Amino acid sequence: ARVNNGSVGSDFLWRFLMSILKKWLGFFVLCATMNVACAQSFDNLTPEASANLIKANENNMEFVLLDVRTPEEYSQGHLKNSINIDFYSTNFSAELGKLEKNRTYLVYCRSGRRSASAAGQMKSLGFTKVSNMLGGINQWLQEGRPVEK
């Protein structure tokens, strides 16, 4: 409890200290919220790290390469053994819901934007192991990595 001796200086000091305390409390609440959000986020992998992940899982039936580009984009070249679910499709979320949530997924698109959004959706749907390829297939190709048609 605060003792008020009538001093204007002590009242100012009290308000100042309380404002600092409120800011710190807000900061800690924000940090706790961010940690919870980060715990449920997905990994962002460079094309090099993605290639390493693909190679390490080439015989793993629980590993899925998910291309979220349009069918037209997919037909122009895609990663070997990938499946295609069109991010812009009206039933995209329903199609994601048909996938097994306990498998390991590497999601990619043209530039990394759609795949990042798709990976976030997958995490919110309860998928446990989801990674996004940064830079998408554009960066993959720029680094001279193979695709198939």
Side-chain angles (χ1 to χ4, degrees):
R2 178 173 71 103
V3 176
N4 187 356
N5 63 6
S7 169
V8 174
S10 66
D11 193 45
F12 171 78
L13 181 61
W14 177 255
R15 284 194 316 264
F16 175 73
L17 291 174
M18 289 306 294
S19 72
I20 290 174
L21 181 63
K22 287 178 187 176
K23 288 176 184 172
W24 273 105
L25 181 60
F27 174 76
F28 286 122
V29 169
L30 177 64
C31 287
T33 304
M34 297 281 287
N35 285 338
V36 169
C38 290
Q40 296 180 11
S41 66
F42 52 87
D43 292 329
N44 282 305
L45 303 178
T46 63
E48 180 180 1
S50 297
N52 292 337
L53 181 65
I54 293 166
K55 184 171 182 159
N57 286 282
E58 63 188 353
N59 295 316
N60 180 0
M61 298 303 292
E62 298 298 308
F63 179 72
V64 180
L65 275 169
L66 177 58
D67 185 321
V68 296
R69 297 175 300 153
T70 65
E72 295 77 23
E73 289 173 303
Y74 186 80
S75 69
Q76 294 170 4
H78 53 271
L79 301 187
K80 184 178 179 183
N81 298 322
S82 62
I83 62 171
N84 180 229
I85 301 176
D86 183 358
F87 180 81
Y88 293 129
S89 170
T90 56
N91 63 344
F92 180 70
S93 291
E95 290 298 316
L96 287 180
K98 294 177 185 177
L99 300 174
E100 293 184 43
K101 294 180 179 172
N102 60 341
R103 289 189 171 179
T104 300
Y105 292 88
L106 175 59
V107 188
Y108 73 95
C109 63
R110 182 176 51 83
S111 66
R113 289 188 185 134
R114 285 176 280 179
S115 57
S117 180
Q121 287 182 42
M122 292 172 78
K123 290 300 286 189
S124 70
L125 289 171
F127 288 79
T128 56
K129 296 173 252 171
V130 181
S131 297
N132 170 52
M133 185 167 70
L134 294 169
I137 201 163
N138 284 350
Q139 186 64 38
W140 177 273
L141 290 168
Q142 189 173 356
E143 293 180 11
R145 301 184 187 283
V147 295
E148 64 179 30
K149 293 186 180 188

